[in-house]
Amino acid sequence: MRTNELDILIVPGWTNSGPDHWQSRWEAKLSTARRVDLGSWEHPVFTEWTERLVEAVARATRPVLLVAHSLGVLAVTHAAPAFEPGKVKGAFLVGLPDLEQEARPPEIDPRFVPIPRVTLPFPSVLVHSSSDPYCTAVRAHEFARLWGSETADAGDAGHINTASGHGPWPEGLMRLAGFLKDLS
């Protein structure tokens, strides 16, 4: 599929994605991309985030591609069973935070855990890093297998965010293009 055939929904994580974050840059670059307003970015509320994501998918006028980072990945995996069947064509999931293994910041609603362990009803790829402080590569592979997701190793890339030097992230755009080629 081509990006102009899709509604690309950008699903940021906790504290949103700042102006230099790759998600913000992709949103500005891709004409059919828009950020989903999940509500409180500083104090994420599970039901608010998942319900707003389901509503955004329902409002889309074209097939949907989800582009999620960090806590946005968990919002996608929790909300997936409530999406209209067939509406989401794929999900590009980046930087899973393993809130089951790592300390969960008190600002994040505890209902984001446990992390879902069911196959997603659409194709997906989970991009992970060997040096992500919030999720080991082993756990990323485990969840990708449970979700039926492909995995893509970004190497020594931290949490794949602005702090780890991933503003433009051209390698991510190339991986996204490869993922889109396989969608129908």
Side-chain angles (χ1 to χ4, degrees):
M1 296 193 89
R2 298 168 159 240
T3 58
N4 64 359
E5 300 171 321
L6 298 161
D7 279 337
I8 301 170
L9 300 183
I10 306 289
V11 187
W14 179 40
T15 72
N16 201 348
S17 295
D20 292 328
H21 192 283
W22 60 268
Q23 281 186 311
S24 298
R25 291 170 183 247
W26 291 10
E27 179 183 8
K29 184 176 187 159
L30 300 170
S31 64
T32 63
R34 71 176 187 279
R35 183 176 309 249
V36 178
D37 179 2
L38 298 174
S40 175
W41 296 111
E42 302 298 323
H43 299 279
V45 177
F46 176 79
T47 53
E48 184 177 41
W49 276 40
T50 54
E51 288 173 2
R52 285 180 176 220
L53 183 53
V54 169
E55 290 167 7
V57 168
R59 282 193 311 272
T61 58
R62 291 177 282 218
V64 171
L65 171 69
L66 299 167
V67 177
H69 181 254
S70 197
L71 194 61
V73 172
L74 294 184
V76 166
T77 58
H78 280 287
F83 295 149
E84 177 185 327
K87 185 96 180 238
V88 174
K89 293 300 179 187
F92 191 77
L93 310 171
V94 180
L96 167 68
D98 187 357
L99 297 181
E100 294 177 352
Q101 299 287 312
E102 301 297 324
R104 179 188 49 79
E107 296 86 357
I108 296 176
D109 188 335
R111 292 176 291 173
F112 280 98
V113 292
I115 298 171
R117 287 165 164 79
V118 296
T119 303
L120 295 174
F122 40 77
S124 59
V125 61
L126 177 59
V127 182
H128 66 90
S129 162
S130 62
S131 59
D132 192 330
Y134 306 112
C135 185
T136 67
V138 169
R139 290 283 284 181
H141 279 274
E142 177 184 328
F143 283 106
R145 182 183 54 75
L146 292 167
W147 298 338
S149 301
E150 296 176 43
T151 58
D153 187 343
D156 181 9
H159 194 50
I160 314 173
N161 58 7
T162 307
S164 64
H166 293 84
W169 197 33
E171 301 87 359
L173 267 177
M174 290 185 343
R175 181 65 184 99
L176 176 65
F179 178 63
L180 288 174
K181 280 184 181 180
D182 296 335
L183 296 181
S184 56

